[in-house]
Amino acid sequence: MPDITLTTLVLLCLAAAAAGWIDAVVGGGGLLLLPALLLGLPNVPAAQVLGTNKAVAIVGTTGAAITYVRRAPVRVGLAVRVGLMALAGSMGGAFFAAGISSEVLRPVIMVALLGVAAFVLLRPSFGTAAAGDTDTRPVTRARIVTAVVLVGGGIGFYDGLFGPGTGTFLVLALTAVLHLDLVTASATAKIVNVCTNAGALAMFAYQGSVLWQLAAVMALFNLAGGMAGARMALNRGSGFVRAVLLTVVFALVAKLGYDQWTA
């Protein structure tokens, strides 16, 4: 456990719970969790921050995935195929992440944050469609291959390298490529995200870049948030969480921008 104050630990745990909740409903929990870790652990190497982030996130993502699979129409076989490619991609991304510094990471996160915020603002219906609003066009073999190779491999690599916004990017890509409604896409994305987190975590653990004690404490809060968020997405939709996500994104952009300016 790094030398941090009780206040910092409490704030990190609350961020983990909120990240799990947001990630389960609309994806993008890493947009809150990773910056929170960067801010709370300013003297910890970026590789250890990234590794700890994965150790926390995989617990909440797994809990959300189990909740979705029990109650949502998910093609588990397809999700696993995309997930296995994503696992390989995330291990490759995590391998290259070892040499990244916090100074490089902050502007990359800011770009990802602004990109997601712009998309959500320009698409008011994003995250608000009800389950069952799926495109009726057939999903061709070419689209399945595209989902496995580009969605799984490409976004998996990004998740291992940086991570923030992976859940949101997966939801968007799966909706576009496989014609899924947003609830089903969120459920499928959780299964894929478990695989990406597992691949990246395995590489970070092999490199000794995980703060296991801190991750264990934060993971309990992330799990509770993830399961609660999955239930909310299934029962109430995600319009409210969309507003929360935008609020969090702009707050974090402002904070990271200030830190980058004063660095």
Side-chain angles (χ1 to χ4, degrees):
M1 178 82 74
D3 185 17
I4 59 176
T5 65
L6 179 60
T7 300
T8 299
L9 178 60
V10 170
L11 291 175
L12 287 175
C13 288
L14 292 176
W21 181 62
I22 293 172
D23 193 56
V25 180
V26 295
L31 295 170
L32 173 59
L33 184 56
L34 182 55
L37 283 167
L38 284 171
L39 296 174
L41 306 172
N43 299 318
V44 173
Q48 288 190 332
V49 173
L50 289 167
T52 304
N53 172 63
K54 290 304 172 193
V56 175
I58 193 172
V59 176
T61 303
T62 301
I66 293 172
T67 301
Y68 272 121
V69 168
R70 288 175 175 174
R71 299 177 57 184
V74 184
R75 294 175 61 181
V76 177
L78 176 59
V80 169
R81 275 184 283 173
V82 177
L84 289 176
M85 178 62 76
L87 187 150
S90 66
M91 291 185 72
F95 177 79
F96 288 103
I100 295 176
S101 67
S102 297
E103 287 72 21
V104 174
L105 200 58
R106 282 196 187 97
V108 172
I109 292 174
M110 288 176 63
V111 171
L113 284 165
L114 290 171
V116 171
F119 180 88
V120 175
L121 283 172
L122 294 173
R123 295 288 298 274
S125 63
F126 172 68
T128 61
D133 293 341
T134 308
D135 195 317
T136 56
R137 290 174 293 175
V139 178
T140 64
R141 183 177 181 83
R143 285 183 174 271
I144 293 176
V145 172
T146 300
V148 172
V149 176
L150 295 183
V151 178
I155 297 180
F157 183 85
Y158 168 81
D159 191 32
L161 186 62
F162 297 120
T166 296
T168 302
F169 299 150
L170 282 171
V171 171
L172 298 178
L174 290 169
T175 301
V177 174
L178 298 178
H179 306 150
L180 302 177
D181 64 81
L182 287 173
V183 172
T184 304
S186 293
T188 305
K190 289 296 148 296
I191 297 175
V192 177
N193 215 175
V194 170
C195 296
T196 66
N197 285 336
L201 179 58
M203 183 58 68
F204 283 123
Y206 174 76
Q207 296 170 340
S209 298
V210 181
L211 302 173
W212 291 109
Q213 290 178 310
L214 176 61
V217 176
M218 294 177 63
L220 295 175
F221 289 84
N222 192 251
L223 174 63
M227 296 183 72
R231 292 191 184 97
M232 180 175 290
L234 290 165
N235 295 332
R236 297 177 55 187
S238 55
F240 173 70
V241 180
R242 175 181 178 275
V244 174
L245 177 61
L246 283 172
T247 302
V248 170
V249 164
F250 285 120
L252 287 172
V253 167
K255 177 59 177 174
L256 288 171
Y258 176 79
D259 289 343
Q260 188 70 16
W261 181 264
T262 57

